[in-house]
Amino acid sequence: MQLAFDNISTDPVHLFEEKDIKISVLRLDKIHPVISGNKWFKLRYYLEEAKEQRKKKIVTFGGAWSNHIVATAAASKTYDFLSAGIIRGEEPVQLSPTLLQAKDQGMQLHFISREDYHEKKLPPEFQNDECYLVGEGGYGPKGAEGAALILKYNKEKFTHCCCAAGTGTMMAGLIRAISPSQKVIGISVLKNNYDLEKNVRSILGDERKEWQIIHDYHFGGYAKYKPALIKFMNEFYGQTNIPSDFVYTAKLFFAIYDLVNNDFFPYKSKLLLVHSGGLQGNISLPKGTLIY
Ligand SMILES: *Cc1c(COP(=O)(O)O)cnc(C)c1O
């Protein structure tokens, strides 16, 4: 498994010259074609703790297209752990490409019912001292601590750092990492997930920085999309050569595009958009949907 952190670049995109707003994209999608983006960062300190505790197996939860599952499989292998993924729903006849990749990285897949998944019921075989449990999506302070390292790879000055937010763990890490004169804008990819503010705050503790979550760009909910989003993804790629994924980064880029158009950001703002990867999830779209 070769992870190319050296490939991470900060690419300027030229979309709004007339508005005097500068936009750059921090390309975490270039780390690896499958294990790209923020997940590796979020896992790092969990795995280090598991090593200190002499655990043997990393156990986590996820769905059939989960970036977190495939990243956990690969990261566990790199750190010499066994890994197990507790997967939502019945075992399908044909595994998704995501789950096949995870299995390829040595992950044991364990399917549980949607009801049990909802309650995050840990099957008895994983309730022992050898197993180290990482929460769904890597949510928690350790995940944020790892995500705070993301900005070390950025080379551009910015006033606003913008990211997609699922659990809010990456966002909390970015908030930690910015200076007091900067602000983090999170675009929630879930519908009406108003717990997100609380979840970010609970990771941050008494850290006082400027941040804001915007809930208007979920396109129907998690992993849902509309034709307008797909059209935008293709146009954005045409204009910038930057591919996005429909679950997270396309919603981020769309939102920023729309917010800039509506003069949300002050004149002369410098925006850093975190491309948090996730491109492997696009395989779940019907063939021909995207031009890349
Ligand atoms: C998981 C993920 C996110 C969301 O990260 P959180 O820390 O859960 O908010 C954003 N982008 C991509 C590509 C992801 O895979």
Side-chain angles (χ1 to χ4, degrees), residues 42-264:
K42 289 206 290 182
L43 283 165
R44 172 172 170 170
Y45 291 113
Y46 291 114
L47 297 184
E48 288 189 5
E49 181 173 80
K51 271 274 171 284
E52 279 160 25
Q53 296 179 358
R54 301 184 184 286
K55 302 287 184 184
K56 295 216 159 46
K57 188 183 276 189
I58 306 298
V59 182
T60 196
F61 289 88
W65 299 96
S66 165
N67 297 326
H68 170 68
I69 283 290
V70 67
T72 302
S76 301
K77 189 176 174 190
T78 303
Y79 279 75
D80 290 321
F81 289 109
L82 300 170
S83 67
I86 318 285
I87 313 298
R88 179 177 53 229
E90 298 274 296
E91 176 159 11
V93 181
Q94 176 74 47
L95 289 181
S96 68
T98 310
L99 294 182
L100 283 173
Q101 291 267 6
K103 210 172 160 181
D104 244 27
Q105 300 298 318
M107 183 176 257
Q108 171 194 357
L109 302 177
H110 189 100
F111 293 83
I112 63 173
S113 72
R114 285 172 188 268
E115 297 75 52
D116 285 354
Y117 188 92
H118 188 72
E119 291 168 30
K120 296 289 165 330
K121 267 198 193 153
L122 192 62
E125 62 193 277
F126 302 112
Q127 300 180 17
N128 60 59
D129 285 346
E130 305 215 313
C131 291
Y132 181 91
L133 185 66
V134 177
E136 186 182 32
Y139 174 75
K142 281 200 188 300
E145 205 187 322
L149 303 173
I150 288 172
L151 288 181
K152 293 200 185 306
Y153 290 87
N154 168 52
K155 297 183 183 72
E156 294 287 327
K157 286 204 173 71
F158 63 89
T159 55
H160 300 73
C161 174
C162 310
C163 68
T167 65
T169 306
M170 166 172 64
M171 180 171 182
L174 296 171
I175 294 169
R176 283 247 165 94
I178 60 169
S179 71
S181 64
Q182 297 171 319
K183 181 169 178 176
V184 175
I185 305 289
I187 305 300
S188 174
V189 302
L190 280 79
K191 187 175 177 176
N192 303 340
N193 180 20
Y194 299 114
D195 282 346
L196 190 51
E197 275 84 356
K198 191 183 72 198
N199 296 343
V200 170
R201 213 169 286 125
S202 111
I203 294 180
L204 287 174
D206 54 12
E207 178 102 48
R208 292 274 172 269
K209 296 269 180 64
E210 288 279 322
W211 56 277
Q212 180 179 353
I213 296 171
I214 296 174
H215 292 273
D216 305 330
Y217 297 97
H218 55 73
F219 286 86
Y222 183 72
K224 299 260 172 32
Y225 61 94
K226 301 208 161 100
L229 187 69
I230 301 297
K231 183 164 175 275
F232 173 83
M233 290 168 78
N234 284 326
E235 284 173 4
F236 187 77
Y237 181 75
Q239 285 165 356
T240 63
N241 234 358
I242 299 176
S244 54
D245 80 294
F246 75 99
V247 182
Y248 295 101
T249 54
K251 292 179 182 178
L252 166 68
F253 297 152
F254 184 102
I256 298 306
Y257 196 82
D258 196 53
L259 290 168
V260 172
N261 264 329
N262 288 297
D263 295 322
F264 173 88

